[in-house]
């Protein structure tokens, strides 16, 4: 009994001790648990907010700005050439770039550019199917330049028509229509065709035919770049170079596509109007706030690496735009510091912006038409430009327009 008593006494004591310790441990344990839970919640919230905001922060903050700073140097006085290749890629390891790089491109990027490139810019390889090109005109050389045409006469207006080397049909149609007369409304007007090298298997033959064609008409300007769709910006810049170096005495120049109807009389009449500026003047069909096409299937697709902004500066539609003769030389100069992209008209708009200039609306904007509907003699007698479907259409409509009798 005594043992039992002591036993039960010990048990009781143990129980009491355990209960007491439990009572003592319980709040401590609770507190610890609560603190841990709170910590977990805090960490979770912190992680969540950081991850979502840092994503946006990554996307918005530095890259676009840095790209822009890299490709469009703000320094106007110090126009150092910039190229479409990141410095990191200017080595022999990149096959794509090696094959597309023109041999005349200097081997190094000027050191002034490097500090603005953040170390975190990911290496970017041009997407497959698109080749970057270099639009600085002095990288190319004239094969045919008809340099004497502007020496023998001082033109009021020079029409420069980019055309594919093999497209004799388009050239002949223009020679019979708006490019036919060299005297328009009492002014000297010249029409010249701009071509690059034909890349096909019959390139040699094409070249021989071109020589003959030029002997007959003296109106072909050819340069040594590959004549392809993606090289249209080079073509335009070579046109600018030719005007600046071979024809500085002309008052105005026009870049006009070969599939256009041009009412040349109306154009000269417009340029003779008293209010038309003789300098820093670019006009045509104005395009405002045009978004850059990012759909890869589009003919006008431009990758972000080529042109980082989402909209183009104001530009004149490439079908036909007119400029005073001081501009071509300025475009060539400023193009050294503007990364090329394959949309030639928007590229000229970018050159204008960089020069601190902007295109001007023509006296009657409705004279620049960019659609192709049914021929209407009265309408064609009033417009300046109109898009056509074929060279046959041009000859047909022109003949009809010029027939005797009032058009309206
Ligand atoms: C553009 O022309 C250059 C110079 O001739 C040439 O190397 C390049 O392959 C051409 N690019 C395209 C896309 O045709």
């Amino acid at each position: 009994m005594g043992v039992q008593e002591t036993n039960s006494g010990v048990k009781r004591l143990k129980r009491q001790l355990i209960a007491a310790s439990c009572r003592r441990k319980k709040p401590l344990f609770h507190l610890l648990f609560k603190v841990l839970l709170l910590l977990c919640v805090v960490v979770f919230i912190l992680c969540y907010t950081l991850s979502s905001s840092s994503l946006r922060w990554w996307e918005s903050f530095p890259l676009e700005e840095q790209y822009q700073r890299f490709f469009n140097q703000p320094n106007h006085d110090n126009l150092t050439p910039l190229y479409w290749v990141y410095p990191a890629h200017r080595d022999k390891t990149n096959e794509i770039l090696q094959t597309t790089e023109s041999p005349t491109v200097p081997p190094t990027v000027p050191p002034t550019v490097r500090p603005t490139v953040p170390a975190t810019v990911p290496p970017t390889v041009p997407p497959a199917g698109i080749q970057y090109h270099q639009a600085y005109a002095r990288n190319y050389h004239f094969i045919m330049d008809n340099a004497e045409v502007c020496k023998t006469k001082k033109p009021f207006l020079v029409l420069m028509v980019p055309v594919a080397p093999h497209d004799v049909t388009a050239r002949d149609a223009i020679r019979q229509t708006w490019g036919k007369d060299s005297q328009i409304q009492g002014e000297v007007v010249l029409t010249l065709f701009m071509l690059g090298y034909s890349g096909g298997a019959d390139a040699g033959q094409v070249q021989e035919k071109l020589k003959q064609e030029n002997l007959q008409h003296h109106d072909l300007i050819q340069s040594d770049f590959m004549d392809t769709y993606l090289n249209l910006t080079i073509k335009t810049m070579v046109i600018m170079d030719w005007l600046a170096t071979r024809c500085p005495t002309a008052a105005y120049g026009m870049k006009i596509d070969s599939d256009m109807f041009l009412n040349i009389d109306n154009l000269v009449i417009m340029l003779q109007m008293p209010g038309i500026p003789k300098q820093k003047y670019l006009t045509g069909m104005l395009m405002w706030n045009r978004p850059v096409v990012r759909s890869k299937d589009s003919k006008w697709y431009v990758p972000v690496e080529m042109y980082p902004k989402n909209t183009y500066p104001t530009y004149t539609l490439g079908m036909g735009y007119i400029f005073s003769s001081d501009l071509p030389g300025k475009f060539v100069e400023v193009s050294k510091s503007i990364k090329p992209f394959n949309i030639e008209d928007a590229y000229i708009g970018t050159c204008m912006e960089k020069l601190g200039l902007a295109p001007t609306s023509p006296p009657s904007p409705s004279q620049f038409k960019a659609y192709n509907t049914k021929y209407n003699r009265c309408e064609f007698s009033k417009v300046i430009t109109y898009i056509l479907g074929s060279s046959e259409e041009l000859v047909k409509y022109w003949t009809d327009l010029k027939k005797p009798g009032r058009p309206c």
Side-chain angles (χ1 to χ4, degrees):
M1 176 86 191
V3 176
Q4 271 186 345
E5 261 186 16
T6 39
N7 257 356
S8 67
V10 168
K11 269 184 195 164
R12 212 181 304 130
L13 195 79
K14 264 188 187 169
R15 239 180 280 135
Q16 274 171 357
L17 267 169
I18 289 168
S21 77
C22 271
R23 245 177 276 130
R24 238 183 291 129
K25 268 185 190 165
K26 241 184 193 165
L28 213 135
F29 194 72
H30 258 212
L31 199 81
L32 234 141
F33 185 74
K34 272 182 191 166
V35 166
L36 255 164
L37 206 88
L38 205 89
L39 239 142
C40 274
V41 169
V42 166
V43 165
F44 178 78
I45 290 172
L46 246 160
C47 278
Y48 181 80
T49 48
L50 255 175
S51 73
S52 59
S53 66
S54 72
L55 237 158
R56 242 170 285 133
W57 177 82
W58 256 121
E59 278 172 1
S60 67
F61 156 58
L63 279 183
E64 195 172 29
E65 222 175 87
Q66 296 292 0
Y67 274 125
Q68 264 165 262
R69 234 190 290 163
F70 177 42
F71 297 123
N72 298 316
Q73 272 196 300
N75 193 346
H76 280 250
D77 312 329
N78 176 25
L79 297 176
T80 37
L82 281 167
Y83 306 100
W84 41 269
V85 184
Y86 288 102
H89 289 263
R90 300 195 63 84
D91 60 16
K92 294 179 187 95
T93 54
N94 197 316
E95 272 185 23
I96 306 169
L97 297 176
Q98 249 196 331
T99 52
T100 56
E101 221 172 315
S102 115
T104 43
V105 171
T108 49
V109 165
T112 47
V113 180
R114 288 193 177 173
T116 60
V117 184
T120 48
V121 166
T124 314
V125 173
I130 195 139
Q131 284 182 308
Y132 292 31
H133 54 253
Q134 163 60 269
Y136 180 52
R138 309 263 153 91
N139 286 328
Y140 308 98
H141 311 93
F142 292 106
I143 303 162
M144 289 189 242
D145 74 346
N146 283 300
E148 68 296 336
V149 291
C150 286
K151 286 186 187 133
T152 47
K153 38 193 163 185
K154 186 176 169 290
F156 173 70
L157 173 64
V158 185
L159 307 174
M160 298 293 280
V161 191
V163 61
H166 63 83
D167 205 349
V168 195
T169 317
R171 291 192 288 272
D172 280 342
I174 292 165
R175 287 177 184 126
Q176 290 172 52
T177 58
W178 46 263
K180 188 175 167 194
D181 295 326
S182 58
Q183 284 281 332
I184 309 282
Q185 304 288 323
E187 308 278 8
V188 176
V189 178
L190 283 180
T191 303
L192 297 160
F193 299 97
M194 179 74 228
L195 8 135
Y197 253 142
S198 159
D202 58 345
Q205 245 177 310
V206 171
Q207 204 52 37
E208 199 42 52
K209 279 188 191 156
L210 287 175
K211 267 189 210 163
Q212 297 304 317
E213 190 181 328
N214 188 49
L215 274 177
Q216 193 184 343
H217 300 285
H218 306 283
D219 60 0
L220 301 186
I221 314 291
Q222 192 183 27
S223 177
D224 64 354
F225 62 88
M226 291 307 293
D227 200 307
T228 59
Y229 181 74
L230 284 177
N231 270 350
L232 277 185
T233 300
I234 295 179
K235 209 173 202 176
T236 294
M237 293 318 289
V238 171
I239 283 177
M240 297 303 169
D241 188 31
W242 188 90
L243 287 169
T245 56
R246 271 70 169 179
C247 206
T249 54
Y252 296 97
M254 180 182 199
K255 180 254 159 182
I256 175 158
D257 284 340
S258 62
D259 58 350
M260 297 299 296
F261 172 88
L262 174 67
N263 192 320
I264 182 69
D265 286 279
N266 288 351
L267 174 58
V268 172
I269 290 166
M270 183 197 96
L271 291 173
Q272 287 171 329
M273 286 167 71
I276 299 294
K278 295 192 163 33
Q279 284 196 324
K280 297 176 179 176
Y281 183 61
L282 170 67
T283 196
M285 186 172 181
L286 263 59
M287 307 303 270
W288 290 278
N289 294 314
R290 299 305 294 179
V292 178
V293 177
R294 302 292 191 200
S295 154
K296 290 197 174 146
D297 310 320
S298 171
K299 182 179 164 185
W300 297 286
Y301 167 63
V302 174
V304 181
E305 298 81 45
M306 266 191 186
Y307 193 87
K309 288 188 206 172
N310 291 324
T311 52
Y312 291 123
T314 308
Y315 66 93
T316 44
L317 198 65
M319 60 173 190
Y321 51 84
I322 302 110
F323 40 88
S324 52
S325 66
D326 58 319
L327 288 182
K330 290 192 169 86
F331 291 151
V332 171
E333 219 23 57
V334 83
S335 76
K336 281 180 188 172
S337 65
I338 302 175
K339 188 175 151 65
F341 53 96
N342 51 302
I343 311 293
E344 65 87 18
D345 45 8
Y347 187 80
I348 290 293
T350 311
C351 289
M352 285 290 280
E353 189 187 45
K354 184 102 183 180
L355 289 165
L357 305 171
T360 311
S361 261
S364 7
S366 63
Q367 284 188 303
F368 290 82
K369 297 234 191 292
Y371 52 78
N372 174 20
T373 51
K374 262 203 142 132
Y375 170 74
N376 175 310
R377 190 171 180 228
C378 181
E379 195 189 347
F380 272 58
S381 73
K382 291 175 184 165
V383 299
I384 290 177
T385 65
Y386 208 97
I387 292 180
L388 297 175
S390 67
S391 295
E392 295 85 72
E393 269 182 25
L394 171 58
V395 176
K396 205 167 82 187
Y397 299 167
W398 186 270
T399 312
D400 188 74
L401 183 70
K402 294 291 166 182
K403 75 186 177 193
R406 286 179 157 270
C408 295

